[in-house]
Amino acid sequence: MGRHARPADQMFRSSFFLLASTLTTAGLSFLFWVVVARFYPPEQVGLATSLISATSLLSYLSMFGLNSTLIRFPAEGRAARNGQITQSTALVLLVSCVAAGIYLLGLPWYGHKLLFVRDHAHLAALFVVSCACASLNLLVKSVFISARMAQYNVLSDGILQGLAKLAAPVALVGFGAAGILGSAGIGYAVAAAAALLLLRRRLGFRFDFRTRGTRLREQLRFSVASYVSSLINLAPVLVTPLIVLQKLGAAEAGYYFVAFQIAALLNSVSTAVGEAVFAEVSSDPSRFGELLRRSAKMIAVVQVPAVAVVAAGSGLLLLVFGGGYTEAASGLLTVLAVAALAVALNTWACFGLKLAQRMKQLITANAVLACTTIGLALWWAPQGLVRVGCAWGIGNLAAGLFATAALLRGRPSAPRPPEPDIDPGPGWSPVDTLQLRAVRLPGPTAVAPPSTAAPSTAAPSTAAPSTAASSAAVSSAATPAERYRP
């Protein structure tokens, strides 16, 4: 399909490309770790996974909610949009570098075995640059989603990043754990460079540090609320494996990690559809209810069969990792697969709350998820991995029911689009936008001839609406991708 796909098909098209990007990244990452495991000893692999996990976490924390803001509130006009992307990029890069530096400084307290990175300037620089490139890649992904051109995420974040990482480990095997980190850093750098090139070639992006019309300050509250909500949502994902490690041991933590990674592919379906709806409604708020209903049907059509397949074949899927995984984690994977339905409900409702700008309810829903999941995991972990999986499912179900009730309460209408802040340019006069209306003045009234009075009084009342209508028609006819162009 071309760039100007019909609106009815656009949500499916965006969802397809976002899901394809996730699956491509996951598949090539799996091959990457297979290659690494064959050429590097387990000790070096363990150190590298800690560093790469830290890189991913720090890049995510550096977003400050700007990835959501760029989709929900894109600036109008090419100059303003360039400025919005430029300022967001500068802030994210700065924060990611500072966060990486703080992480390295704190290694004596929580990462003694990783101190070799901080003690060598070139390794420290590699870690900081990797964090910066990963952050930039995450931010640019949201720009393509906003422009409804998610196919470029498949190319840059999926294919190019995966192939670049896959080609490097063998060449860098002599550098140990630093070689694995360097391979991942090369992948991030290639993806970020390709994304910037595509922004320039396909969307006409140029770096522009002007602040007028970017709307970042106006939407600061939304950015902060989105950021806080994302951090709370991330808490059970990070804390639950630690609970398993402390309560059940390292082997059980490994079984949990593998099962959860497989289930995460199921969860990516609802996330992909949610991001597509987020971009579509941000572009056309009048379709809020329609797209929300269509997205629910789309998630159900794809998610239910996928859950049935994974739940029924959990033992066969885990055979890829060895017989021990089948015996220890098949029950857990079955529970996590069924829990993907609860995750889908929670994801769908939370995207709806974010679109409706009900940020307090969104934060509360994620707090319900975090508290329920972590609390039940602490309580049930001594009883085995299956109970931990139940904690994850119940937490998502409770949060999803709360978010759905908050979304449906009062039958919300389409979110109101924000007022554009456009630089009118030279030659503009306040008279051009002045709304005229008839006013009766006190004093004697002069009667004008009928042949001249009617045209003179009717002109102001008809000319302005016709001009506004034509401007609105032109604005609504432009696609999100065309807003970036001259």
Side-chain angles (χ1 to χ4, degrees):
M1 286 185 283
R3 184 170 56 118
H4 301 288
R6 292 186 295 115
D9 300 329
Q10 184 61 50
M11 184 177 69
F12 173 79
R13 183 173 183 266
S14 297
S15 301
F16 170 79
F17 282 121
L18 289 170
L19 184 58
S21 176
T22 300
L23 294 178
T24 303
T25 302
L28 291 176
S29 294
F30 177 78
L31 293 178
F32 169 76
W33 287 111
V34 170
V35 172
V36 166
R38 290 183 64 87
F39 286 91
Y40 292 79
E43 295 79 10
Q44 295 178 358
V45 174
L47 294 174
T49 53
S50 300
L51 291 171
I52 294 175
S53 297
T55 300
S56 300
L57 177 61
L58 291 173
S59 64
Y60 188 82
L61 296 178
S62 302
M63 288 296 102
F64 271 121
L66 291 172
N67 51 342
S68 295
T69 302
L70 290 178
I71 299 174
R72 186 66 185 89
F73 302 107
E76 296 290 341
R78 189 184 67 164
R81 184 59 168 166
N82 285 346
Q84 186 185 49
I85 297 172
T86 301
Q87 291 180 50
S88 301
T89 300
L91 179 60
V92 166
L93 288 177
L94 176 62
V95 172
S96 63
C97 291
V98 172
I102 294 175
Y103 175 83
L104 293 176
L105 290 176
L107 284 177
W109 287 274
Y110 45 73
H112 288 281
K113 294 184 179 180
L114 301 177
L115 281 174
F116 70 95
V117 178
R118 195 189 70 172
D119 294 339
H120 296 82
H122 64 286
L123 295 182
L126 172 63
F127 180 78
V128 172
V129 171
S130 297
C131 289
C133 291
S135 302
L136 178 60
N137 191 38
L138 282 177
L139 187 71
V140 176
K141 283 175 61 178
S142 65
V143 179
F144 286 128
I145 294 173
S146 175
R148 295 192 287 186
M149 302 175 76
Q151 63 269 29
Y152 295 120
N153 286 335
V154 181
L155 178 60
S156 62
D157 187 52
I159 297 174
L160 294 179
Q161 178 183 185
L163 292 178
K165 286 199 307 183
L166 200 57
V170 177
L172 301 177
V173 68
F175 294 94
I180 303 175
L181 176 63
S183 301
I186 290 173
Y188 294 139
V190 169
L196 289 177
L197 180 61
L198 289 169
L199 276 184
R200 181 181 180 89
R201 296 292 297 273
R202 305 303 299 172
L203 297 179
F205 170 72
R206 301 292 186 275
F207 284 103
D208 189 342
F209 288 91
R210 287 178 290 184
T211 59
R212 184 176 181 83
T214 61
R215 291 162 52 181
L216 290 177
R217 290 184 180 179
E218 293 87 340
Q219 304 305 333
L220 179 62
R221 180 176 298 179
F222 177 85
S223 300
V224 173
S226 297
Y227 183 66
V228 172
S229 173
S230 298
L231 292 182
I232 298 174
N233 181 272
L234 191 63
V237 178
L238 297 176
V239 173
T240 305
L242 297 178
I243 295 175
V244 174
L245 178 63
Q246 293 296 324
K247 299 287 186 178
L248 298 175
E252 300 296 314
Y255 298 141
Y256 179 86
F257 175 81
V258 170
F260 193 86
Q261 293 305 306
I262 296 174
L265 294 177
L266 289 175
N267 301 335
S268 65
V269 173
S270 56
T271 302
V273 176
E275 288 180 341
V277 173
F278 194 61
E280 289 300 305
V281 176
S282 298
S283 176
D284 185 2
S286 65
R287 302 181 65 207
F288 177 62
E290 171 203 348
L291 291 177
L292 210 58
R293 290 188 295 272
R294 289 187 66 228
S295 65
K297 295 178 182 178
M298 185 183 301
I299 291 173
V301 167
V302 178
Q303 193 90 56
V304 172
V307 165
V309 170
V310 174
S314 60
L316 293 176
L317 290 173
L318 290 169
L319 275 177
V320 178
F321 300 90
Y325 285 89
T326 301
E327 296 176 4
S330 59
L332 171 63
L333 181 55
T334 301
V335 171
L336 291 178
V338 175
L341 298 175
V343 174
L345 173 65
N346 186 32
T347 302
W348 174 82
C350 284
F351 270 110
L353 290 176
K354 187 183 289 190
L355 279 167
Q357 300 181 48
R358 298 186 175 185
M359 307 310 289
K360 291 182 179 179
Q361 291 90 334
L362 177 63
I363 293 174
T364 304
N366 282 293
V368 170
L369 167 65
C371 294
T372 304
T373 302
I374 294 174
L376 289 178
L378 285 170
W379 184 19
W380 286 343
Q383 302 178 40
L385 288 176
V386 172
R387 286 300 185 95
V388 176
C390 291
W392 168 255
I394 292 173
N396 274 278
L397 180 61
L401 292 175
F402 173 86
T404 302
L407 181 64
L408 299 179
R409 188 178 298 121
R411 300 184 65 83
S413 57
R416 185 181 64 181
E419 293 293 331
D421 183 9
I422 305 175
D423 187 356
W428 171 82
S429 170
V431 179
D432 296 338
T433 56
L434 182 64
Q435 298 294 322
L436 302 179
R437 58 179 180 169
V439 179
R440 183 178 296 278
L441 300 176
T445 304
V447 181
S451 59
T452 59
S456 62
T457 56
S461 62
T462 58
S466 64
T467 303
S470 63
S471 300
V474 172
S475 175
S476 62
T479 64
E482 288 170 337
R483 295 176 187 169
Y484 295 79
R485 296 192 172 278

